[in-house]
Amino acid sequence: MSTAAPIDAPDTPVRVLIGRIAQVYLKPRWKGFAVALVAAVVVAFCSAKLVQILEPAINDLLVVQKPGALWSIPLAIAGYAVLRGVAQITQASLVNRIGNGVVGDVQVQLFGRLVRADLARLRSQHSGTHVASVLYDANLIREAATSGLVNYTQHLLTVIGAILVMISNDLVLTLAILLAAPAAGGIMRRFSKKTTKAAKGAMAETSALSTAIMESLDGVRVVKIENREAHEEARVGQVVARRQSHLVKGANARAAAAPATETLMTLIVAAVMAYAGWRAGTGDMNVGAFVAFIGALGVASQSLRQLANLQTVFAEGLAGARRLFAALDVEPEVRDAPGAREIADSQGSIAFENVAFAYGEGAPALNGVSLRAERGESIALVGPSGGGKSTILNLIPRFYDVTGGRVTLDGADVRDLTLTSLRDQIALVTQEPFLFDDTIRANIAYARPDATDDEIEAAAKAAAAHDFIMALPEGYRTVVGEAGARLSGGQRQRIAIARAFLKDAPILLLDEATSALDTESEAQVQAALNRLMAGRTTMLIAHRLSTVRGADRIYVIDKGQVVESGDHAALVKAGGLYARLAKSQDLETESAA
C-alpha cells in the first residue's frame, strides 16, 4: 500500500488536483487545447466587438446617417459574426475530441489499476464500485477539464470585454455596477458548495446502484427459486431513489444558480435604465451609447450565468478527480520487489517453510505450514472445508503474500521473483473455470495468443475437447457466451484443461477440478487431467478422496495446519483424520449402492 498521503485527503489543496489533471490528461494534448483556448479568446473578442459596434451602428446609421456607414458597419458586423462562428465551431470540435480522449485515458487507467490490484482489495470492494468509477467519474472529469475550462475562459473574457465596452461608455455607471460583483460571487459560491455535496452523494449511490444490479443479476437463479424478484426490485428501487435525491439536489443547485445570478443582473439593468434615462434627459448620453451599454450589460449577464453553471461543473469534476486519484494511488501490496529476478525454466520444486498467513486483520488462515512438492510429483491437499487448502494454492502464484515463513520455487523465495516470470511457470484449473465471451480458439489460446491452429488443436485433443468442438456449428470459431454459458460444465472444464495444455507450464494447480461434474464428464475430465499431470509438479485439492488415492503424497490440512502427511495407504492405517474421512466416504458409497 502506498505510504503517500492520499490525494483526496481533506487538506489537499484544490490546486494539486487541478495541476495533476493538467499534467496527466491535458499536457499530452496541449496543442489542441491551446488552439481551443485561442478560439475561446476569439469568440470573446468578437462578442465584445459586436456589442461595441452598436453605438456607431445606431448613431451613424439611424441618427446622423453618416456617409459610408451604410456599408462599412454591416460589413464589420458580418465579419465579426463569421469569425466568431468559425471560432465557436473550432472550439467545440477540439473540445469534443480532447474530452473524449481524456475519458478514454481515465477509463483505461482505472481498469489497468483495478486488474492489477490485489485480490484482497478487489474482494473487499464490489465490482459495481469499480464500474461506477470507470464510467461515472471519467465523464465528470472530462466536463471539468475540457469543455468546462475552455468555456470558462471564453465567458470570463467575454465578461471582461463587455465591462471594457461599458467603461468606454460610462465609467461611473460601470463602477457602480461592479459593486454588485461580490453579491454575484457569493451566489456562485453558495450554489457550488451545494453541488459539490450532491455530487459526492450521487457518486456513492451510483456505486451502490451498480453493485445492487450486478449482484442481483449474478445471483438471478437464487432470486428466482426463492421468489424474491419483488424484493430485489424494491432494493434497487431504494438505491435509485437515494441516487435520484442527490441528483435532483445537484440539478436544483445548478438550475437555481443561473436564475439567481440573472435576477440580480436584471435588477441592475432596471437601475441602469433608470439612470440612463435620467442621463439622456440631461443630454449626457446619446441613444447609441445607451443601447451599447445595455447590450454590453446583457452580454455580461449572460456570460455570468454561464460562469455560475460552470462553477458546479468544476465542483463535480474535482469531486470525481478526488475519487479517481484515490483509486489510482493505491499501490498493490503484491508486486515485484526491487531487484526481483526472472525465472525461465523452473524445475517445479515447491516448498512451504513454516508458512503463516492471515486475511487482513482476521484470524490466521495458516499457521506453521510446511510441505514440499518435486518435479513430476502429484501432491494432494485434503481436509475439512475452511481448513486452508485453497489459501495454500493461492500463495504459490502470489495471489496473496505470506505473513510469516516463506514459499520457495527451486529454492528461491517467490517474493524474490518477478510476478510475470513466476506465473508463467504455473497453470491453474479451478472448479468453475472462467471462459471469456469469445471464441473457443481465443479461450484456449488466452495464455498464448500467438499459438498456431495446429498447437491449439493438439491441446484440445489432449484435453478430450476436440471432438465436441468440431461438432459445434462454428467449430473453434464458436463464441462460448458470457462466462461460457453456451457450453456444459464438462465442456468448459475441458476447454480450461486445453488452455493449461497449451501453456505447458511445469507447475499445475488443480482446485476441485472435477467436483462439480457428473460421473461421465468427470471420467473424461479426469483422464485429460491425468495426461496433463504427467511430468509436471501437481498440487491438487479434492474432497473426493477417490481422486487422490494415487497421489505421491497427501497432506491433511485442518484449521490452517498440516495435521497428517503420507500416501493413501499409510494415512488410512494411521487411523487419524484422513482415515475417518475415507471411512465416511466409503460408507456413503456403500449406502448409495
Side-chain angles (χ1 to χ4, degrees):
M1 193 74 68
S2 174
T3 57
I7 195 70
D8 62 340
D11 58 347
T12 301
V14 171
R15 65 177 181 273
V16 175
L17 292 171
I18 296 174
R20 186 165 175 180
I21 292 172
Q23 178 70 24
V24 176
Y25 303 116
L26 299 183
K27 185 177 179 181
R29 302 173 173 84
W30 72 269
K31 292 181 180 179
F33 194 76
V35 173
L37 287 176
V38 170
V41 173
V42 172
V43 172
F45 171 77
C46 291
S47 298
K49 293 299 290 184
L50 286 171
V51 171
Q52 188 180 32
I53 210 170
L54 286 175
E55 180 179 0
I58 292 175
N59 290 336
D60 296 349
L61 279 175
L62 304 179
V63 179
V64 299
Q65 297 182 345
K66 184 177 179 180
L70 185 61
W71 59 269
S72 62
I73 291 178
L75 280 178
I77 293 174
Y80 286 126
V82 170
L83 181 59
R84 184 175 67 173
V86 171
Q88 286 173 324
I89 293 173
T90 301
Q91 173 188 325
S93 62
L94 286 171
V95 164
N96 287 335
R97 187 179 68 187
I98 294 170
N100 285 294
V102 169
V103 169
D105 285 355
V106 170
Q107 291 173 339
V108 171
Q109 283 183 331
L110 265 175
F111 178 77
R113 178 62 74 181
L114 294 173
V115 81
R116 290 175 174 82
D118 295 320
L119 284 181
R121 178 177 171 233
L122 292 175
R123 289 179 176 176
S124 67
Q125 293 180 294
H126 196 279
S127 55
T129 302
H130 306 319
V131 172
S133 294
V134 170
L135 299 180
Y136 188 67
D137 296 351
N139 281 301
L140 293 179
I141 295 169
R142 173 185 66 82
E143 286 291 331
T146 55
S147 58
L149 185 57
V150 173
N151 288 331
Y152 194 89
T153 302
Q154 172 192 319
H155 290 295
L156 180 62
L157 292 175
T158 299
V159 169
I160 294 173
I163 290 174
L164 292 176
V165 172
M166 292 161 60
I167 290 174
S168 67
N169 282 277
D170 195 312
L171 175 62
V172 175
L173 183 56
T174 303
L175 292 176
I177 291 173
L178 291 178
L179 292 176
I187 292 173
M188 292 182 184
R189 285 192 298 273
R190 179 181 177 185
F191 287 110
S192 177
K193 290 179 180 178
K194 290 184 177 180
T195 306
T196 301
K197 183 178 180 180
K200 291 180 178 178
M203 286 179 193
E205 295 303 337
T206 298
S207 297
L209 179 60
S210 299
T211 298
I213 292 174
M214 294 179 69
E215 198 170 51
S216 296
L217 294 179
D218 288 344
V220 68
R221 295 175 69 184
V222 176
V223 173
K224 288 182 177 298
I225 196 63
E226 303 299 344
N227 294 317
R228 299 285 282 175
E229 292 93 339
H231 168 77
E232 292 302 317
E233 183 179 2
R235 185 165 73 99
V236 170
Q238 290 174 354
V239 180
V240 168
R242 292 197 303 268
R243 180 174 180 271
Q244 286 182 337
S245 174
H246 292 293
L247 291 175
V248 168
K249 288 179 181 178
N252 287 344
R254 288 192 298 272
T261 306
E262 191 172 359
T263 300
L264 177 63
M265 295 304 298
T266 303
L267 294 175
I268 294 174
V269 168
V272 167
M273 293 184 71
Y275 173 79
W278 173 73
R279 291 284 303 277
T282 62
D284 293 332
M285 179 175 284
N286 57 54
V287 175
F290 172 72
V291 172
F293 193 95
I294 293 296
L297 186 59
V299 169
S301 174
Q302 185 178 15
S303 291
L304 280 172
R305 183 177 63 180
Q306 295 300 322
L307 291 175
N309 287 333
L310 290 171
Q311 290 284 347
T312 64
V313 170
F314 288 138
E316 291 176 343
L318 290 175
R322 289 179 188 277
R323 193 161 82 158
L324 165 69
F325 293 141
L328 293 179
D329 287 343
V330 176
E331 291 291 341
E333 294 181 1
V334 178
R335 58 182 185 270
D336 288 343
R341 65 181 181 86
E342 293 189 357
I343 182 169
D345 298 315
S346 170
Q347 295 303 307
S349 177
I350 300 171
F352 279 59
E353 300 176 0
N354 198 32
V355 166
F357 176 77
Y359 291 98
E361 301 298 326
L366 298 178
N367 186 16
V369 171
S370 295
L371 52 83
R372 60 184 175 82
E374 303 295 337
R375 182 66 177 260
E377 287 187 332
S378 60
I379 303 301
L381 306 176
V382 303
S385 297
K389 301 183 295 298
S390 293
T391 301
I392 291 174
L393 250 59
N394 286 333
L395 294 177
I396 297 173
R398 290 188 68 197
F399 292 152
Y400 303 92
D401 272 341
V402 300
T403 53
R406 66 176 193 155
V407 179
T408 65
L409 176 59
D410 297 344
D413 193 318
V414 293
R415 291 170 294 186
D416 296 331
L417 306 174
T418 63
L419 280 171
T420 300
S421 66
L422 170 65
R423 292 171 181 173
D424 278 343
Q425 311 303 310
I426 302 170
L428 173 65
V429 181
T430 62
Q431 179 179 356
E432 290 289 341
F434 184 84
L435 300 184
F436 294 91
D437 189 7
D438 205 337
T439 63
I440 290 177
R441 184 196 187 284
N443 273 284
I444 294 175
Y446 189 72
R448 286 184 54 199
D450 57 344
T452 66
D453 289 342
D454 289 341
E455 290 173 324
I456 292 170
E457 288 190 17
K461 289 176 181 177
H466 178 74
D467 290 343
F468 88 75
I469 293 172
M470 294 307 296
L472 297 171
E474 299 294 325
Y476 283 85
R477 295 192 301 273
T478 300
V479 176
V480 302
E482 185 178 354
R486 296 176 186 170
L487 302 179
S488 69
Q491 289 172 335
R492 290 196 299 270
Q493 197 67 285
R494 279 176 278 171
I495 295 295
I497 294 170
R499 182 190 294 165
F501 264 114
L502 187 62
K503 187 173 185 180
D504 196 24
I507 300 170
L508 177 62
L509 305 181
L510 304 176
D511 190 354
E512 292 285 354
T514 62
S515 64
L517 304 178
D518 57 70
T519 304
E520 182 179 356
S521 296
E522 181 183 3
Q524 293 175 318
V525 170
Q526 190 62 55
L529 287 174
N530 290 338
R531 291 191 293 272
L532 179 60
M533 292 163 60
R536 292 180 170 85
T537 303
T538 303
M539 293 192 69
L540 63 98
I541 296 174
H543 282 106
R544 297 179 186 173
L545 301 188
S546 59
T547 63
V548 304
R549 289 186 178 185
D552 295 292
R553 195 160 45 259
I554 300 171
Y555 289 93
V556 183
I557 312 297
D558 186 25
K559 297 178 181 177
Q561 296 180 317
V562 177
V563 295
E564 294 177 295
S565 65
D567 60 23
H568 173 77
L571 290 173
V572 169
K573 186 177 180 179
L577 176 56
Y578 183 87
R580 294 196 298 273
L581 293 171
K583 182 179 180 181
S584 172
Q585 293 191 15
D586 286 340
L587 287 173
E588 290 173 0
T589 302
E590 291 173 8
S591 176

